[in-house]
């Protein structure tokens, strides 16, 4: 693989998914230069670059996605696939490929695959700018008439995000031209004076339009995003609760500013709130900002699994009631973990508060990492916290067994784009200095980091620039006995202000130790249990490591927990032993074939 390079010459600002405009009301901004060069995430990203992303075009060809685009270009009626949103998988792959090209611009094969797909999209686009193969090929008479399940604006949003990524990463305008033409068509249909007053059943267009505004400077895209947010919650997607599955499923039950908690389909809700947060940043709308913070609080207080997973119900892939967090029936879609990272990162930039990046860390290392197989070619759509010994499985995409691809293949290309853009989520800057939100060996603006995190809590940070500025280090909420250069420090932002000399180093030690975590007593499904954690990692028991069946295991809370790094196990992991029980990181479960697993362990 070609070594990672700096962002391409000629790009303005950070090469990543979020680039606040110069007038945005954010406390922080992503650093302009960010590279991960070693450790846990470098290995995952290397597999993504060498295995996952290159096999994308073949998977999309086999599943019929690319054939649908050719059918639209040729004017035939041969549509393949079970869902109207097949195109979105292509768009997400293109976004992943673009972010990868930002780091490895010399990858000519990837560049050729990317340009071929861009040309195919341009050929498939209608003269008026419309582009969604399901309604071009299979149902041409139903455009903009099935907004609840049709996903037209959802697909458009992913196209726009791919186009922005490609432009930022390569400077190319081909895909951006396609996206702008489609966005202009959408504006004539849904904007003031347009023929349709509606919103999409699956949010995504909102955050995409804000980023298109940031990339082009055209105010119309920001105004259109605001219009979509303001029109939601007025029953445009159905007759309230009388229409299955109910207005709350697609967050159309109450105006956004009046919402009190997260509800309905988890990914839809989080994509909407990412757009709400982007709008708050660009417009300074205090009510939108308060809504985003209020709903994040409600989500984290009572609707988030220990792994950061979201979505308690297989039914409608939805949030459940407060404290409804079953381990075995948890849905916790991989896409929901990705959406959580995207939303929390936006809140971290908007507010400057460390707690949002605490959740990003938890979700990345657990709920997200588990969804991606160590081989780069197998995936989990759902991420439960328990799989029983005699697990019978669910149908296709809902199985807790790793799968090469899915009938509804939203998760694999989504994971590819997050891994490809991951350096963007590591650090930020403001007028005072730089903030390290996540820890991985690499270079982030004016500092370099050396660490073996999450296996070791020692994080050495070296200044690459001399001058008066502040280095801010996030000390996670779980790290109650952290030190900086041997001196105790508190949790949250640790701010080190000084006149830095080039090459000057400080060492943050997060003191990793295994610990038992008790659940909130209001979570009935796991009352009387405990979970094992080690630093940012949630651990689990897998049947492959235990002396007896998992449904027979009881844990003595007084048993000493011992951490042991095993370089030869699952790519090199730290296990935690409790007597004769061995717990492995949840991030690597289900990589040794089928078997039982549990996070919450009953106590004696």
């Amino acid at each position: 693989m070609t070594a990672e390079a700096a962002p391409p010459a000629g790009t303005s600002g950070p090469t990543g998914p979020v680039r606040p405009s110069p007038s945005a009301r954010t406390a922080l901004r992503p650093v302009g230069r960010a590279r991960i060069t070693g450790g846990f995430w470098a290995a995952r990203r290397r597999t993504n670059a060498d295995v996952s992303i290159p096999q994308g075009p073949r998977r999309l060809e086999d599943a019929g996605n690319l054939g649908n685009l050719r059918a639209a270009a040729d004017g035939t009626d041969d549509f393949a696939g079970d869902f109207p949103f097949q195109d979105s998988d292509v768009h997400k792959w293109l976004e992943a490929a673009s972010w990868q090209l930002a780091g490895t611009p010399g990858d000519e094969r990837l560049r050729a695959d990317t340009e071929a797909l861009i040309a195919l999209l341009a050929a498939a686009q209608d003269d008026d700018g419309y582009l969604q193969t399901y309604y071009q090929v299979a149902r041409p008479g139903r455009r903009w008439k099935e907004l609840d399940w049709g996903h037209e604006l959802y697909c458009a949003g992913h196209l726009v995000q791919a186009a922005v990524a490609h432009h930022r990463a390569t400077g190319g305008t081909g895909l951006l031209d396609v996206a702008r033409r489609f966005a202009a068509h959408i504006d004539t249909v849904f904007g003031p004076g347009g023929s349709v007053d509606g919103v999409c059943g699956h949010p995504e267009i909102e955050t995409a339009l804000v980023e298109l505004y940031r990339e082009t400077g055209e105010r119309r895209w920001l105004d259109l995003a605001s219009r979509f947010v303001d029109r939601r919650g007025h029953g445009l997607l159905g007759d309230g609760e009388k229409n299955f599955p109910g207005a709350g499923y697609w967050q159309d039950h109450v105006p956004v500013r009046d919402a009190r908690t997260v509800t309905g389909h988890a990914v839809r809700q989080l994509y909407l709130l990412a757009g709400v947060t982007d709008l708050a940043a660009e417009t300074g709308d205090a009510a939108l900002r308060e809504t985003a913070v209020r709903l994040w609080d409600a989500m984290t207080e009572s609707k988030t699994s220990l792994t950061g997973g979201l979505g308690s119900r297989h039914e409608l892939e939805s949030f459940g009631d407060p404290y409804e967090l079953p381990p075995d029936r948890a849905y916790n879609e991989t896409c929901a973990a990705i959406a959580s990272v995207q939303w929390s990162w936006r809140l971290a930039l908007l507010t400057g508060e460390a707690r949002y990046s605490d959740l990003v860390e938890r979700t990345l290392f657990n709920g997200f990492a588990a969804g991606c197989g160590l081989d780069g070619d197998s995936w989990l759509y759902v991420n439960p916290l328990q799989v029983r010994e005699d697990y019978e499985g669910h149908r296709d995409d809902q199985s807790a067994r790793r799968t090469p691809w899915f009938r509804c293949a939203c998760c694999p290309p989504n994971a590819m784009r997050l891994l490809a853009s991951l350096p963007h989520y590591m650090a930020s800057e403001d007028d005072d200095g730089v903030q390290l939100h996540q820890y991985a060996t690499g270079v982030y603006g004016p500092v370099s980091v050396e660490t073996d995190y999450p296996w070791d809590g020692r994080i050495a940070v070296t200044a690459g620039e001399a001058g008066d500025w502040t280095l801010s280090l996030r000390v996670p909420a779980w790290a109650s006995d952290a030190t900086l250069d041997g001196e105790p420090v508190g949790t949250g932002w640790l701010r080190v202000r000084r006149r830095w000399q080039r090459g000057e180093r400080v060492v943050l030690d997060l003191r990793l130790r295994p610990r038992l975590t008790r659940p909130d007593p209001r979570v009935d499904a796991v009352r009387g249990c405990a979970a094992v954690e080690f630093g940012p990692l949630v651990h689990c028991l897998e049947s492959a490591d235990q002396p007896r069946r998992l449904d027979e295991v009881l844990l003595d809370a007084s048993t000493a927990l011992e951490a042991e790094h095993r370089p030869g196990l699952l790519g090199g992991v730290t296990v935690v032993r409790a007597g004769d029980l061995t717990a492995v990181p949840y991030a690597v479960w289900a990589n040794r074939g089928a078997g039982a697993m549990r996070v919450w362990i009953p106590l004696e």
Side-chain angles (χ1 to χ4, degrees):
M1 186 181 100
T2 306
E4 270 203 10
T11 57
S12 174
T15 305
V18 183
R19 185 188 288 174
S21 73
S23 61
R25 286 77 156 181
T26 61
L28 310 173
R29 297 171 182 270
V31 295
R33 308 183 308 278
R35 289 182 290 139
I36 298 172
T37 59
F40 181 98
W41 288 119
R44 288 294 184 110
R45 297 185 71 244
R46 188 161 49 248
T47 300
N48 190 51
D50 293 347
V51 180
S52 303
I53 292 176
Q55 52 95 35
R58 174 175 59 84
R59 295 291 189 189
L60 294 168
E61 187 69 75
D62 293 346
N65 305 66
L66 303 188
N68 292 338
L69 288 168
R70 286 191 290 270
D74 297 340
T76 63
D77 60 358
D78 186 17
F79 183 85
D82 299 324
F83 304 102
F85 47 85
Q86 302 288 123
D87 295 1
S88 65
D89 299 334
V90 178
H91 305 332
K92 282 183 282 189
W93 183 86
L94 276 171
E95 185 182 347
S98 297
W99 296 133
Q100 185 57 44
L101 284 171
T104 56
D107 191 336
E108 295 302 327
R109 177 179 176 182
L110 181 59
R111 187 177 298 274
D113 285 344
T114 300
E115 295 303 323
L117 263 63
I118 292 173
L120 184 54
L121 284 166
Q125 189 169 32
D126 284 350
D127 291 341
D128 63 359
Y130 185 90
L131 179 56
Q132 187 181 349
T133 60
Y134 181 73
Y135 289 101
Q136 291 172 288
V137 175
R139 295 170 66 84
R142 300 294 295 169
R143 292 183 190 179
W144 307 126
K145 298 182 185 299
E146 299 172 343
L147 294 177
D148 47 4
W149 299 108
H151 287 69
E152 288 161 284
L153 293 171
Y154 168 80
C155 288
H158 278 302
L159 173 62
V160 168
Q161 287 186 316
V164 168
H166 188 258
H167 187 246
R168 285 180 186 166
T170 71
T173 60
L175 189 56
L176 188 62
D177 290 342
V178 172
R180 290 173 73 173
R181 289 185 63 213
F182 195 5
H185 172 78
I186 292 168
D187 196 22
T188 63
V189 174
F190 291 90
S195 58
V196 178
D197 181 18
V199 295
C200 188
H202 199 310
E204 163 67 13
I205 189 66
E206 299 84 359
T207 190
L209 286 170
V210 175
E211 216 60 44
L212 186 60
Y213 156 73
R214 290 166 167 168
E215 193 67 8
T216 65
E218 296 181 66
R219 177 77 190 197
R220 66 188 295 196
W221 312 131
L222 186 66
D223 293 340
L224 185 56
S226 295
R227 182 176 178 85
F228 281 131
V229 167
D230 287 340
R231 294 304 295 138
R232 190 168 292 272
H234 297 280
L236 299 178
L237 289 168
D239 184 18
E241 295 301 324
K242 296 180 181 178
N243 183 45
F244 177 83
Y249 168 76
W250 26 54
Q251 299 81 43
D252 195 38
H253 59 303
V254 63
V256 168
R257 291 171 176 80
D258 297 333
R260 311 310 300 178
T261 189
V262 290
T263 190
H265 187 278
V267 178
R268 285 169 163 84
Q269 174 72 90
L270 299 180
Y271 279 0
L272 173 63
L273 291 171
V276 166
T277 306
D278 282 331
L279 278 170
E282 293 297 339
T283 66
D285 189 320
L288 287 182
R289 176 183 173 128
E290 290 167 5
T291 295
V293 171
R294 179 173 65 248
L295 297 189
W296 190 91
D297 287 343
M299 179 184 79
T300 55
E301 287 169 5
S302 65
K303 295 190 177 185
T304 304
S305 291
L306 185 66
T307 58
L310 297 163
S312 297
R313 299 178 180 176
H314 281 243
E315 179 188 18
L316 303 174
E317 301 181 327
S318 61
F319 287 105
D321 297 330
Y323 305 103
E324 181 189 345
L325 296 168
D328 48 352
R329 291 295 299 161
Y331 199 71
N332 290 353
E333 184 183 343
T334 298
C335 281
I338 295 166
S340 175
V341 169
Q342 293 169 341
W343 179 33
S344 291
W345 175 236
R346 286 164 168 81
L347 279 167
L349 296 175
L350 179 67
T351 68
E353 295 181 24
R355 62 191 184 127
Y356 299 109
S357 294
D358 276 0
L359 182 58
V360 170
E361 177 181 76
R362 177 173 293 278
T363 306
L364 280 174
F365 276 116
N366 300 287
F368 167 69
C372 310
L374 293 177
D375 58 5
D377 197 23
S378 60
W379 313 88
L380 289 173
Y381 192 109
V382 299
N383 296 274
L385 278 69
Q386 181 179 355
V387 177
R388 299 180 186 279
E389 296 282 357
D390 302 312
Y391 174 74
E392 294 181 358
H394 300 283
R395 58 182 177 82
D396 47 61
D397 298 346
Q398 295 183 349
S399 173
R401 303 297 189 209
R402 295 205 179 273
T403 305
W405 205 248
F406 300 103
R407 188 172 62 97
C408 174
C410 54
C411 295
N414 213 3
M416 293 176 201
R417 69 176 180 142
L418 179 56
L419 283 169
S421 63
L422 192 61
H424 171 79
Y425 296 88
M426 306 300 287
S428 65
E429 58 191 357
D430 60 12
D431 292 339
D432 197 41
V434 63
Q435 303 82 36
L436 292 180
H437 295 252
Q438 309 299 329
Y439 297 114
T441 295
V443 180
Y444 310 101
V447 301
S448 61
V449 174
E450 295 179 18
T451 183
D452 198 23
Y453 196 73
W455 315 123
D456 190 302
R458 185 180 186 274
I459 300 156
V461 183
T462 302
E465 297 179 6
D468 289 325
W469 48 276
T470 300
L471 170 65
S472 298
L473 304 171
R474 182 184 60 85
V475 181
W478 52 263
S480 58
D481 57 352
T483 63
L484 182 72
D485 293 337
E487 296 297 322
V489 295
T491 59
W493 283 121
L494 169 62
R495 305 193 189 277
V496 184
R497 176 79 186 185
R498 64 178 62 165
R499 181 181 294 274
W500 294 90
Q501 301 299 317
R502 183 180 175 86
E504 187 175 357
R505 170 179 290 195
V506 295
V507 177
L508 174 67
D509 192 343
L510 297 181
R511 302 286 184 91
L512 305 186
R513 296 186 181 92
R515 62 190 186 276
L516 280 186
T517 299
R518 307 294 180 100
D520 190 297
R522 290 167 287 190
V523 183
D524 301 274
V526 293
R527 191 178 291 125
C529 296
V532 175
E533 294 189 84
F534 177 77
L537 300 169
V538 175
H539 277 53
C540 66
L541 302 182
E542 280 199 287
S543 56
D545 304 305
Q546 313 313 323
R548 54 193 179 279
R549 289 171 58 99
L550 292 193
D551 53 14
E552 298 174 354
V553 167
L554 295 174
L555 178 63
D556 183 348
S558 66
T559 300
L561 302 179
E562 299 178 358
E564 175 188 338
H565 193 71
R566 296 185 181 177
L569 178 65
L570 293 164
V573 298
T574 295
V575 304
V576 176
R577 291 183 288 110
D580 62 354
L581 301 177
T582 301
V584 299
Y586 181 81
V588 298
W589 85 275
N591 280 282
R592 293 177 287 178
M597 179 275 296
R598 72 183 309 157
V599 169
W600 291 108
I601 309 166
L603 295 172
E604 286 186 358

